Amino acid sequence: MTYDYDLFVIGAGSGGLAASKRAASYGAKVAIAEGDLVGGTCVIRGCVPKKLMVYASSFSHLYKDAVGYGWSEVESSFDWTKLVETVDQEVHRLSQLHIGYLEKAGVELISGFAKFVDAHTVEVGERKITADKILIAVGGEAIKPDIPGIENTITSREIFLLKEYPKRMAVMGGGYIGTEFACIMNGLGTKVSQIIRRDYILRGFDQDIRVDIQEGMIKHGIDIISETIVEKIEETPEGLQLTLKGKEETTLTVDTILCAMGRKPNLTGLGLENAGVEVTKGAIAVSPNSRTSQGNIFAVGDCTNRINLTPVAIAEGRAFADTEFGNNPRAISHKNVPSAVFSQPEAATVGLTEEEAKAQFGDSIKCYKAKFRPMFYSLTGADEKTTVKLVVESHTDRVLGVHLVGKDSAEMIQGIAIAVNMGATKKDFDATIGIHPSSAEEIVTLR
Ligand code: NDP
């Protein structure tokens, strides 16, 4: 049987782009279908525009900090329309770059949404295409819960293109997206209320870290309304009115509501049933090397709902291509994946939380923690703190987890993740000479 392509990739996001180029580098004939801008969630409506907005929002804090260093007070105003336009231009520039990379790699880009006809055939518009192997890399989409008036909310997809600057904003949800956008908009001058159903944001993170981020956000002026849910949303002449239920039973009126209540694999209209691809709990079921229930079909990234992070999707995509086209069978490890929350204060983490470590190792877990004011703030008067926490198993002395809150946490954790992955012990950390003066030196001097 001959096919049009050796590999057909559905979705030109992080995982699909990485896999298609790697497979083509081994000589495979590869095509990739994309119905939207090339780049996927990360480049178009996720990590990249979000980080640019994080930078934009940090200036309001920096202007205040500068005064402590002898600069006169900065009188500055913020132009939302300009930020949205420049971020959008950058996103389009990057999307074009990725199209260029595909061309250079010899991957054919096909515009349109692909739908399975059978296990070796997809249709894109009127065109029917066959392939020996098919990789699904369609990502995820935001979930909106069934609450009266929920159609009045936007998701992280729309926030990057919001026409009007919101003076008042409610954020529903206490995960990565809700927390990051609460901080971004607060930094840009919006009055932000974040409504979370638990006592603290970021469930699943180390408890000390959750507490410290939340306290830092409250100090910055964000109103975190905890143990409360949104019962309904109504349009009123004064704005969008949220009726709250729980610890706070009141109403809240805002200009914009961001619904950040989780994401799910984006499987609608893919025709997976035509190809015999199994779905478990709303996600494509895959083996450790990303093979679906249909032997010639694979899936990587958020549509498999393993760890929904861009670098994980890229690693899964490359491992798939190496295995299937590069004669180098391998699966990636989903252990010790570092991640950062680009909140203000920033946070980053790798490995086990204290709670997870105690559940696995019981009383042999020892934690080392320091909370201090980083030197940068010593002249600014700002009440900002950095937290460094190590989770150690005392019999083996292995560092099982590192958790950071504060300035530059994301930049610090990347290198630490290498050590944790290699099985470094607390003694190894202690034997490493610190860099002075820096916040990072605290990581190797904890007692
Ligand atoms: P998350 O799953 O992280 O958070 C969803 C939030 O919504 C949680 O606080 C959850 O509460 C709450 N929630 C869900 N359903 C309800 C409900 N019915 N009523 C009240 N609250 C509810 O999703 P996000 O959308 O924030 O992020 C999606 C994924 O995107 C993340 O898992 C992450 O992998 C990725 N991401 C990563 C980033 C990074 O690395 N910096 C940045 C942005 C996204 P509860 O905790 O109680 O369930």
Side-chain angles (χ1 to χ4, degrees):
M1 179 86 191
T2 55
Y3 299 103
D4 299 331
Y5 296 96
D6 299 319
L7 172 65
F8 190 85
V9 179
I10 307 177
S14 303
L17 289 169
S20 62
K21 289 182 292 183
R22 182 63 66 93
S25 77
Y26 295 121
K29 187 177 178 201
V30 185
I32 188 166
E34 175 56 59
D36 203 329
L37 285 178
V38 168
T41 303
C42 171
V43 176
I44 309 301
R45 63 192 84 85
C47 327
V48 170
K50 181 274 308 283
K51 189 79 188 275
L52 294 172
M53 285 196 167
V54 170
Y55 289 134
S57 72
S58 65
F59 287 102
S60 56
H61 307 289
L62 288 172
Y63 290 147
K64 281 192 205 140
D65 293 334
V67 177
Y69 282 90
W71 293 92
S72 59
E73 276 192 33
V74 176
E75 287 267 345
S76 187
S77 62
F78 170 66
D79 183 344
W80 170 261
T81 310
K82 175 151 190 216
L83 176 66
V84 168
E85 277 172 15
T86 48
V87 168
D88 194 44
Q89 278 163 16
E90 176 61 4
V91 162
H92 278 80
R93 187 185 73 81
L94 293 173
S95 180
Q96 282 304 316
L97 265 185
H98 282 290
I99 292 174
Y101 295 150
L102 287 176
E103 271 170 23
K104 217 166 140 195
V107 176
E108 187 183 336
L109 175 62
I110 297 174
S111 255
F113 290 99
K115 182 179 178 182
F116 279 98
V117 176
D118 60 43
H120 285 283
T121 315
V122 294
E123 61 186 8
V124 183
E126 300 288 290
R127 196 172 155 192
K128 279 204 170 50
I129 299 159
T130 61
D132 183 18
K133 288 175 181 150
I134 298 175
L135 176 70
I136 309 167
V138 291
E141 60 183 347
I143 299 169
K144 278 193 179 184
D146 195 12
I147 296 170
I150 196 75
E151 66 280 3
N152 295 303
T153 64
I154 60 166
T155 68
S156 57
R157 190 181 181 96
E158 292 89 29
I159 197 159
F160 297 110
L161 298 170
L162 201 61
K163 291 267 173 290
E164 300 265 319
Y165 166 73
K167 288 207 173 83
R168 305 161 296 173
M169 183 167 178
V171 174
M172 294 162 65
Y176 280 84
I177 296 179
T179 300
E180 290 182 341
F181 272 103
C183 295
I184 290 171
M185 298 311 294
N186 179 62
L188 296 176
T190 297
K191 172 82 199 102
V192 177
S193 307
Q194 186 177 7
I195 303 136
I196 58 168
R197 65 178 166 186
R198 302 192 187 258
D199 47 356
Y200 287 97
I201 55 171
L202 294 169
R203 179 169 61 89
F205 280 70
D206 189 278
Q207 182 65 15
D208 283 333
I209 264 53
R210 297 171 74 192
V211 171
D212 287 354
I213 306 171
Q214 186 153 318
E215 280 178 7
M217 288 169 66
I218 293 169
K219 266 192 254 166
H220 289 171
I222 297 171
D223 181 19
I224 298 185
I225 304 172
S226 58
E227 293 171 81
T228 299
I229 57 162
V230 177
E231 201 173 40
K232 63 177 174 183
I233 298 161
E234 291 162 297
E235 277 188 90
T236 71
E238 290 75 38
L240 296 169
Q241 189 185 72
L242 300 97
T243 302
L244 306 182
K245 195 171 159 229
K247 205 163 114 189
E248 292 216 16
E249 306 230 329
T250 177
T251 59
L252 177 69
T253 305
V254 297
D255 307 310
T256 300
I257 304 170
L258 174 69
C259 178
M261 295 172 112
R263 293 175 64 81
K264 63 170 187 196
N266 188 11
L267 307 181
T268 318
L270 255 184
L272 291 175
E273 59 291 350
N274 302 335
V277 173
E278 262 176 38
V279 171
T280 309
K281 290 189 192 155
I284 298 177
V286 284
S287 67
N289 46 12
S290 299
R291 192 186 295 272
T292 70
S293 55
Q294 184 62 262
N296 71 306
I297 301 178
F298 299 79
V300 295
D302 290 9
C303 65
T304 63
N305 205 12
R306 284 175 278 182
I307 297 181
N308 299 331
L309 296 172
T310 286
V312 174
I314 292 172
E316 288 167 355
R318 288 187 179 148
F320 151 76
D322 289 348
T323 305
E324 297 300 320
F325 299 96
N327 199 23
N328 174 19
R330 65 187 186 91
I332 70 153
S333 165
H334 289 86
K335 263 175 79 181
N336 291 330
V337 172
S339 82
V341 189
F342 293 103
S343 44
Q344 290 153 10
E346 193 169 279
T349 174
V350 64
L352 300 185
T353 64
E354 179 177 347
E355 298 76 22
E356 287 167 341
K358 281 189 170 154
Q360 271 187 46
F361 298 93
D363 290 343
S364 69
I365 293 302
K366 190 165 177 207
C367 292
Y368 299 81
K369 192 179 151 189
K371 192 168 175 178
F372 56 93
R373 182 161 75 172
M375 192 176 182
F376 175 79
Y377 296 108
S378 54
L379 301 189
T380 70
D383 183 16
E384 296 287 341
K385 294 278 190 297
T386 282
T387 303
V388 174
K389 177 171 176 179
L390 258 55
V391 178
V392 178
E393 200 284 309
S394 44
H395 294 130
T396 57
D397 198 40
R398 271 190 66 173
V399 178
L400 302 177
V402 180
H403 309 280
L404 308 174
V405 178
K407 210 167 154 33
D408 305 321
S409 291
E411 300 294 345
M412 284 191 253
I413 207 81
Q414 186 69 78
I416 297 167
I418 302 172
V420 172
N421 239 338
M422 292 177 73
T425 60
K426 174 75 168 59
K427 267 198 194 78
D428 294 324
F429 274 59
D430 295 344
T432 305
I433 307 290
I435 295 170
H436 186 73
S438 72
S439 293
E441 70 182 313
E442 297 289 335
I443 297 162
V444 293
T445 52
L446 283 172
R447 297 231 150 257

